[in-house]
Amino acid sequence: MSDWIGMGSTPRTPRPELKERVLARAFNARPMGNLWGLAAAAGLVLALAGSGVLWQRAERLSQRLAATRDTLDLLRNPGTRVIPIPVVVGARTGELTIFADTVSHRWLVTCHNLAPNAPDQAYQLWFVTERGMRIAAIMRMDGDNPMVLALDMPSGAGKVMGVAMSVEARGGSAEPKGPMLFHVDL
Amino acid sequence: MRAREESALAELYDHLAPWVLGLAQRILGDADEAEDVLSDVFVQVWARINQHDSSRGPLVPWVLSIARNRALDLLRKRRRWSRKLERVAGAYEVEGATALDPHAPGEAGVPGWPVHRAVHQALEALPEEQRHMVTLSYFEGLSHAEIAQHTGTPLGTVKTRLRLAHQKLEDSLRDLKDWMR
């Protein structure tokens, strides 16, 4: 009812040229239905993108689960040796533990409480082999967080007889040059 | 219109543009702004015609409600309240003489004129204090509290007068229908 009240106003005849302009604007404006269509399409794209993200996350979780199972298998293996090695840097004593799988010839190495490196330095782990020292890993410790490494034995170097760790330049070194933190025969 | 025939919108424009423009100019008091509203209204009508439910009411009030809302939005947006309030009283005096004049020269041939006369007569039939408040509410977009403040009338009285006015208008205008086919 109340919307009829607008008819109480005095009508004003629009300028003749206004009609063409108004109608052109109306016809050129995008109908709301198309906007809803665009919104629906955008929603579909987002849903697809979302499902893609979920699939990637599921894939990553699957890979992490497989890696965890592999680690557990290594730890449970009766042939795995556990070799704890104290690491003393200054007044701080940390620990490096090697879980050496003698069947698959892999090592799982954990590091706890190692002193953080100087900004231009890194810890470098060495395999002591029949043919000399081989690089096992370069570990840049910027904080106190524990570190876990999975290492395969070096190929073509003969039997691994021991392990050593030194402090080297940040980018690592082809052979030990810095102070040796430990050298352990296995 | 629902078939989205462009000729239908052109025909609707011929029938309603004078009323939309008149309503917008009545609310805004500015010819240029009123033309902007006219343009906006027909863009919205064309875009939203599927939202109009003919079983719930005629097309003309639906279009006029779009026009009123758009004009009031513009009015509020441009913060003209103070100036509007200052001239409300004067506009009301003018309203009786011109805006609701069913014999305004040169406009009697506009389609829908009989409806205009019916609405005019229904408004004229209201007691003056009720008509004044309907004008403030509908054309100025004032809330009940603002009307009470502006007129120095208790809020309860404002609500009562508006309720009575709308009941009377509903009785008077119940049989109105769209005049175009």
Side-chain angles (χ1 to χ4, degrees), chain B residues 117-143:
Chain B
R117 291 194 64 177
V119 174
H120 172 77
Q121 289 170 356
L123 288 168
E124 283 293 292
L126 294 175
E128 184 176 344
E129 68 276 8
Q130 291 181 16
R131 186 169 65 249
H132 184 40
M133 290 185 178
V134 168
T135 300
L136 293 175
S137 172
Y138 188 88
F139 292 104
E140 306 297 337
L142 299 188
S143 67

Side-chain angles (χ1 to χ4, degrees), chain B residues 11 19 45 51 53 57 61 65 78 103 109 121-122 128 138 161 167 170 177:
Chain B
E11 187 179 349
W19 302 104
V45 166
Q51 294 178 15
D53 183 355
S65 70
R78 297 181 184 180
H103 305 296
Q121 289 170 356
E128 184 176 344
Y138 188 88
R161 286 178 180 171
Q167 285 173 352
E170 188 168 352
K177 294 180 176 64

Side-chain angles (χ1 to χ4, degrees), chain A residues 2 17-18 99-100 118 162:
Chain A
S2 62
E17 64 271 23
L18 205 56
F99 300 85

Side-chain angles (χ1 to χ4, degrees), chain A:
Chain A
M1 173 282 309
S2 62
D3 289 325
W4 283 112
I5 296 175
M7 287 296 296
S9 297
T10 303
R12 307 285 176 187
T13 303
R15 292 181 289 118
E17 64 271 23
L18 205 56
K19 179 179 178 180
E20 187 177 355
R21 208 169 70 203
V22 169
L23 294 181
R25 193 182 151 214
F27 297 143
N28 289 328
R30 190 180 294 276
M32 294 301 286
N34 285 359
L35 288 180
W36 287 118
L38 282 177
L44 182 61
V45 169
L46 287 175
L48 289 173
S51 63
V53 169
L54 286 175
W55 183 85
Q56 288 176 346
R57 291 186 64 182
E59 187 69 13
R60 283 199 298 270
L61 286 172
S62 176
Q63 290 171 354
R64 290 178 62 180
L65 180 61
T68 302
R69 282 178 174 157
D70 187 45
T71 301
L72 282 173
D73 287 344
L74 186 147
L75 295 175
R76 288 171 178 163
N77 191 328
T80 296
R81 290 177 60 193
V82 180
I83 307 160
I85 304 170
V87 181
V88 180
V89 179
R92 183 163 174 169
T93 300
E95 184 175 82
L96 184 142
T97 304
I98 299 172
F99 300 85
D101 184 344
T102 56
V103 176
S104 64
H105 303 290
R106 293 184 304 162
W107 285 2
L108 183 71
V109 180
T110 63
C111 306
H112 292 93
N113 201 36
L114 293 186
N117 293 122
D120 59 342
Q121 293 181 332
Y123 295 116
Q124 187 157 348
L125 198 63
W126 302 92
F127 292 118
V128 181
T129 73
E130 291 175 327
R131 298 177 184 173
M133 305 283 264
R134 295 288 189 273
I135 298 172
I138 299 169
M139 303 182 297
R140 300 178 183 91
M141 297 291 290
D142 296 323
D144 292 333
N145 294 330
M147 184 178 286
V148 179
L149 306 168
L151 304 175
D152 290 318
M153 295 299 99
S155 59
K159 184 181 177 184
V160 174
M161 299 181 298
V163 61
M165 192 161 88
S166 61
V167 177
E168 305 293 343
R170 189 76 170 173
S173 174
E175 55 187 27
K177 295 178 180 175
M180 194 63 72
L181 297 177
F182 65 79
H183 188 297
V184 176
D185 294 328
L186 299 177

